[in-house]
Structures are given as structure tokens and as C-alpha cells.
Amino acid sequence: MTRERLWLYDTTLRDGQQTQGVQFSLKEKRQIAEMLDGLGLDYVEGGWPGANPTDSAFFDEAPALSHATFAAFGMTKRAGRSAANDDVLAAVLNAGTRAICLVGKTHDFHVTAALGVTLEENRENIRESVRHLVAEGRETLFDAEHFFDGFAANRDYALACLHEAHAAGARWIVLCDTNGGTLPQDIASAVAAVIESGIPGERLGIHTHDDTGMAVAGTLAAVEAGVRQIQGTLNGLGERCGNANLTSLIPTLLLKPSYAERFETGVPPEALPGITRISRKLDDILNRVPAKTAPYVGGSAFAHKAGLHASAILKDPSTYEHVEPELVGNERIVPMSNQAGQSNLRRRLLEAGIEVEKGDPRLAEILDEVKRREDVGYAFDTAQASFELLARRTLGGMPNFFEIERYRVIVERRRGAGGRMECHSEAVVVLSIGGETTLSVSESMGPEGSDQGPVNALSKALAKDLGPYQPLIEDMRLVDFKVRITGGGVEAVTRVIIDSADDQGRRWSTVGVSPNIVDASFEALCDAVRWKLAQEGATTMAGLAAE
Ligand SMILES: CC(=O)SCCNC(=O)CCNC(=O)[C@H](O)C(C)(C)COP(=O)(O)OP(=O)(O)OC[C@H]1O[C@@H](n2cnc3c(N)ncnc32)[C@H](O)[C@@H]1OP(=O)(O)O
Ligand SMILES: CC(=O)C(=O)O
């Protein structure tokens, strides 16, 4: 059966940049455009040339795309001037892209209230703008702004605006749910009416916003009704609540038989496993924590926490997964928590290289300890390294690398050079290693001598002199630090999660809990060091001496 082509148009660099708090640099725009091209998107909209210096510079040195058509964005000409004399149209044309997307009004209310022109003038603006770009040999898209609201308010006028663009030669008429309030069934019936009015589905696109949380559903409803171009953004970035999320739509189109059997896109199946990496790379660029619950690509998308789920997953992963995580480059995890049963536990232990027979009484001991600790504020589903240490201690065979004799932290605010007030943190850690006592003092010191706080000072003091273990922790560093006040037991306590990494690409999380934030941090730091030593195959002092 031949499949119909669905065209994917990415607007991360334009509508995505309209997200509050998002401002891409030139280098980041290039990086993102290349990622989208590598994934197989058909169009990459680069921004609005002339609107700001970054966008203009981006078009001056366009990225080298091997697959995607590069598109510039602008708006229809203003009333009272010809298309050839319109500065906005001149700027988009000068950007030199093969495709140009122009936004124009289709809701009568916006024509009179926002533009302040007559309904006929707006139709002329659409017609002449599109005609001008087509005459210049550009593939022209018309983004019909507020189309669905306009269709509900004045159907004839909204349709007439679309037909102006269509008759003038626009390749794509893109129906926009600009305010994001239209429900999927209303999108479907409006699309059906547009097709019935004479514009075929192969010339129609859909651009939705997520203000009701249904941008993806609205997009799919439009496809069902006949549109053949989808506009969206990576990770659903976009104005207000965002646009239709391509990171959800692309796997859906490729993996769900009801779409995959009827449609093909430019994204080849072998590129699909790259989508999780691309999604996280975008978050990295934006300095955002990836959304764990994101469909397909989120860290929790294939995390099986409940005991009943994990038990079945071990027998057959399809029991609780709608697709295999590998297909989208994600991974299955079975975290430990107070929702876990022995199946989660055995699976998690196996991942850590520890095999325990089903029914071993020590499994129940570990589970009891996990549940007891979670009751007082620990969280092991995110702090897997602390969980492993707990399990190894219960199973026996966990070396006692070092003992904490005492530690002390001083935080001082004092007048420094130039009379400015500045903070200073200092820590002392005393350890006992194989009967020997070591004492380390360290100051917190960040870039240009800035104070990085007491936890940083403690981390440095702890890692300063670990006696014979020192070489094993040299490549280790603290990469993230999260604090949560939690109601453990009868009183609120502080839970600290610390993420550490090393030069061998490992990244691990540990947890500490205490009414005192510094003490909770210190517990998590000690676990981080112990886990690293265990990974390095370190033995106790006695073992080291024997080697
Ligand atoms: C639905 C969407 O998301 S479309 C994308 C929207 N994106 C952006 O707005 C980001 C980029 N925009 C910008 O940098 C600026 O708004 C610019 C450079 C485009 C224009 O800046 P300015 O000339 O200062 O205008 P300003 O932003 O204040 O107002 C927009 C103007 O465009 C007019 N306009 C809006 N839409 C259209 C249209 N489709 N066709 C013609 N004119 C339009 C408005 O009437 C208004 O003109 P007015 O001030 O004469 O009333
Ligand atoms: C064009 C566009 O971004 C919108 O109408 O939402």
C-alpha cells in the first residue's frame, strides 16, 4: 500500500524563540538547525530576518542543511503600500531562503482591531504579498493567524482570506490555532470545511498552540481531516504554553500503526533513536532540566516504579510499555522506592551487577530498610547510588573504606578587598582510614575566587586526602545539588540529592537526610565518594595492603 507523505515543518527557531526566557545565540541556532536537519525535518524555519540582529545574522550565514528546506518568516505587507515597497517583505526576500512563511490575519476582528484596516485591504495585503514572493520564485507559505477563531466568528471571511493566498500561488496554507483554545473536534470540522471549499489537503498545514494541553491532539485531528503539513517545535517550545510538540508527534507518526501504515515523513526510522538525545541537547542548550514526564523522551517515560509493574516488566516489558524505549533512544529503568517489591529490587540489583536468588531473605531486609528510610525523608528512586550502597551493606561485602571522625564548617561574611562585603566558607574533615587519622582543611573557591558555599568547601575537604584511595577519586566532581524540605516523620527534614560525575562518563546520584542542610549534604557527599570507590573496585585498607 502506498503511503501518503506528511511534511514536517519545524518552528523551534522562530515560535520556539517566542517562549518566555528563551533567547538563542547565533551558534545555538546553527546547532539546532543542524540537529533538525539530521533528524529529517522537511523545513527548518530560522526566524524573522530584520526583526533582531541575531536573526538577521543567522540568515546572512545560513546553516548548510542537507535535507531540510530553510525558511524565513515575516508578515504580510502593510496597507497603503505595494508589496515591492514593503520593508518587511524586502527583508525576508533578502534573506535568500528557498521558502518564506508569511503570517497574515484571517479573523475579521483582528483585521479591524489589531491592524486597523478594512477587511478588503487585508485581503489585498495577503493576495499581493503572496503573489510578490511567488513571482520572486520562492516557495511561499501562508500562516493563517487566528484561523479557527476567525472561522467560528466569520466563516466566509476566514475562508476568503485562505482563498486569496491559495489563488495567489501559496504552496501551503497553514491553519493556525494562534490562541490555542480550539478543541480537536472543532479543528477537524473546520479543516473539513476548508477542504470542501476547494483547497485540497495537500496544500494545507496545521499550526497549534498548547493552551488547552491539546496541541498534539489538535494536530492529529487536523491530519485525520486531511492536512498534510505539520508545524511544531522540539520539546513543545513556543509562545505562552508552547506549540505542538514534535518530540511527541514524530515518534507517534513513525511508531503507531494507524499513522505509520498510512503516512511517511522525511524522518527515516533509523534516525528516530536520535530523538531523545536531540530533545535533551536542546534542554542543555537552554540550561533547562529535561522534563522527566515528557512522552517518549523523558527520563520517566520508561521508569517502572510500582512493584506490580516491575514484576510484570521483568516477565515481558510490553506489559507496561506502549513502545520499546530503544526505538526512541530512551532507556527502561526500574527505580527503587517504597512502591517497590522484590521484583524491582532484584532487577535493580542485577543492573548493579549483584545477583540475588529469588526468595533470599536478605531481599526483604533491603526492602524494609528502603521503606523505613523513605518514611523519614530519603528518596531512592532518584538516588540510585545511595540505594546500591544500602543494598551492598545489607548483603554484606561492602568495604568500610573510611569512617567519619568529625567535620566542621565555618561560613563568614566579612569585609574584603576594596571594602566590599564577601562570603568565605571553610571546612575541616577528619577521617579514620584503616586506623590512620587524616585531617583536611579546604576553602570554597569558585571561578575568580568567588565563594561557592559550605557544601563546596566540605566536598573539597572530603576529597582532599583520602589516603591510599586518593588516586581513585581524582577525576570525580560534583555536578548538581538539589535541596528539598520534606515532611519526614513528625518533623520537617531537609533532603539533599547530589549528582556527581567522573571522567569515565559515569554520573550518579546520592541522598542525605537531616534536619540540618549541611549535615544532609555531607551524608550525600560521603555516599558519592563511597560509591565511586566501589565502582573503582577499591577494597578495604587490608585488601589494598595485600595487593
Ligand atoms: C502569531 C505569531 O506568533 S506571528 C510571529 C510574531 N513574532 C514576533 O512578533 C516577533 C518579531 N517581531 C518583531 O521583532 C517586531 O514586532 C517587528 C520588527 C516585526 C515589528 O516591530 P514594529 O514595527 O515596532 O511593530 P510592533 O511590534 O509594535 O507592532 C506590530 C505592527 O505590525 C502590524 N501587523 C501585525 N500583523 C500584521 C500582518 N499580518 N500584516 C501586516 N501588518 C501586521 C501591526 O498592526 C503593528 O503595526 P502598527 O504599529 O502600525 O499598528
Ligand atoms: C503564526 C503563528 O505562530 C501563530 O499563528 O500562532
Side-chain angles (χ1 to χ4, degrees):
M1 188 174 115
T2 51
R3 293 182 299 164
E4 273 191 82
R5 184 73 155 84
L6 272 183
W7 302 85
L8 299 178
Y9 184 105
D10 180 275
T11 179
T12 305
L13 299 175
R14 197 275 298 171
D15 213 324
Q17 189 160 255
Q18 293 173 219
T19 315
Q20 197 179 13
V22 168
Q23 183 59 52
F24 298 121
S25 70
L26 199 54
K27 186 168 153 238
E28 289 164 349
K29 281 201 156 211
R30 289 218 174 88
Q31 218 177 343
I32 295 165
E34 281 160 17
M35 288 192 318
L36 291 163
D37 186 46
L39 184 61
L41 269 290
D42 297 301
Y43 295 86
V44 171
E45 188 175 75
W48 186 326
N52 61 68
T54 308
D55 279 16
S56 298
F58 185 48
F59 286 97
D60 285 346
E61 269 186 66
L65 306 181
S66 56
H67 169 88
T69 298
F70 194 41
F73 184 88
M75 65 187 180
T76 52
K77 77 170 186 70
R78 295 189 191 237
R81 64 182 74 163
S82 71
N85 281 326
D86 188 87
D87 53 344
V88 175
L89 287 188
V92 275
L93 274 168
N94 286 340
T97 53
R98 200 156 83 216
I100 295 176
C101 183
L102 290 187
V103 63
K105 306 287 185 200
T106 57
H107 186 176
D108 57 356
F109 160 68
H110 285 265
V111 176
T112 49
L115 295 187
V117 301
T118 66
L119 298 186
E120 183 42 47
E121 278 174 315
N122 179 57
R123 284 177 61 166
E124 193 238 8
N125 290 346
I126 297 169
R127 179 169 65 243
E128 292 309 317
S129 303
V130 172
R131 198 178 273 169
H132 182 57
L133 299 190
V134 173
E136 292 288 329
R138 307 304 174 86
E139 178 178 338
T140 306
L141 296 95
F142 175 62
D143 264 7
E145 196 186 8
H146 295 112
F147 170 72
F148 294 98
D149 297 331
F151 181 82
N154 183 343
R155 173 190 174 115
D156 289 346
Y157 186 71
L159 288 175
C161 290
L162 302 187
H163 279 276
E164 292 291 0
H166 183 237
R171 163 67 186 89
W172 292 106
I173 316 292
V174 184
L175 310 177
C176 300
D177 184 29
T178 308
N179 293 4
T182 312
L183 298 179
Q185 63 271 29
D186 298 326
I187 288 183
S189 55
V191 169
V194 173
I195 293 175
E196 204 178 313
S197 78
I199 304 179
E202 305 82 68
R203 300 282 290 276
L204 293 175
I206 180 75
H207 174 115
T208 56
H209 280 267
D210 208 27
D211 301 68
T212 62
M214 280 183 255
V216 165
T219 300
L220 294 176
V223 170
E224 285 302 325
V227 313
R228 292 295 174 256
Q229 189 204 83
I230 291 176
Q231 295 201 347
T233 56
L234 286 177
N235 293 352
L237 290 185
E239 185 87 29
R240 301 184 312 279
C241 308
N243 283 77
N245 190 343
L246 287 176
T247 359
S248 302
L249 276 164
I250 292 173
T252 298
L253 295 172
L254 268 74
L255 296 177
K256 296 295 173 184
S258 55
Y259 292 102
E261 285 166 8
R262 287 187 293 148
F263 301 108
E264 62 178 338
T265 71
V267 179
E270 61 274 17
L272 191 57
I275 201 158
T276 296
R277 186 184 49 76
I278 289 173
S279 162
R280 296 191 189 165
K281 182 71 201 167
L282 181 69
D283 283 324
D284 191 40
I285 289 172
L286 294 172
N287 201 15
R288 287 181 164 193
V289 178
K292 281 199 169 243
T293 51
Y296 297 103
V297 296
S300 298
F302 300 93
H304 305 284
K305 182 170 167 185
L308 262 60
H309 295 222
S311 154
I313 280 281
L314 280 180
K315 292 166 190 155
D316 184 338
S318 69
T319 50
Y320 282 91
E321 284 172 358
H322 69 118
V323 295
E324 292 165 32
E326 298 78 21
L327 294 173
V328 289
N330 206 340
E331 60 182 6
R332 177 177 305 125
I333 55 168
V334 181
M336 279 313 302
S337 74
N338 65 0
Q339 302 291 311
Q342 293 205 2
S343 303
N344 300 58
L345 180 55
R346 285 185 58 240
R347 154 98 197 201
R348 186 64 196 88
L349 290 172
L350 210 56
E351 280 168 12
I354 308 166
E355 207 160 339
V356 185
E357 289 290 311
K358 195 170 177 182
D360 186 320
R362 294 173 303 172
L363 290 172
E365 270 179 61
I366 298 172
L367 271 183
D368 285 350
E369 183 62 8
V370 166
K371 292 184 183 194
R372 190 191 65 73
R373 288 210 192 191
E374 291 220 334
D375 197 43
V376 296
Y378 288 81
F380 290 104
D381 60 338
T382 43
Q384 293 292 342
S386 286
F387 159 72
E388 273 180 45
L389 293 175
L390 177 157
R392 283 181 192 277
R393 276 186 210 112
T394 311
L395 291 168
M398 175 69 198
N400 186 15
F401 300 119
F402 56 85
E403 304 248 19
I404 311 297
E405 294 294 334
R406 64 187 169 86
Y407 74 85
R408 190 175 68 223
V409 187
I410 300 165
V411 179
E412 190 183 6
R413 193 167 167 80
R414 64 190 180 199
R415 209 165 286 285
R420 267 183 307 130
M421 291 304 286
E422 48 192 42
C423 264
H424 176 81
S425 307
E426 190 182 283
V428 179
V429 173
V430 181
L431 304 177
S432 167
I433 306 175
E436 298 284 319
T437 301
T438 66
L439 181 149
S440 306
V441 182
S442 195
E443 291 177 329
S444 159
M445 203 65 81
E448 293 161 24
S450 61
D451 180 59
Q452 300 284 294
V455 177
N456 182 279
L458 262 179
S459 155
K460 287 192 166 152
L462 179 64
K464 193 169 182 179
D465 183 6
L466 225 55
Y469 301 122
Q470 194 60 27
L472 301 179
I473 60 159
E474 292 289 353
D475 68 339
M476 170 180 169
R477 60 198 177 277
L478 192 156
V479 289
D480 203 3
F481 177 80
K482 294 174 223 93
V483 180
R484 179 64 47 89
I485 306 298
T486 160
V490 284
E491 287 186 13
V493 290
T494 307
R495 175 201 302 149
V496 170
I497 303 269
I498 283 182
D499 289 352
S500 306
D502 65 16
D503 290 349
Q504 296 159 68
R506 296 189 190 108
R507 191 175 165 124
W508 64 101
S509 304
T510 50
V511 60
V513 167
S514 165
N516 178 323
I517 184 173
V518 175
D519 199 47
S521 309
F522 191 63
E523 185 185 1
L525 285 171
C526 289
D527 262 12
V529 171
R530 290 192 174 105
W531 188 87
K532 166 74 171 163
L533 291 174
Q535 293 305 299
E536 295 294 344
T539 52
T540 54
M541 283 298 293
L544 279 174
E547 276 168 17

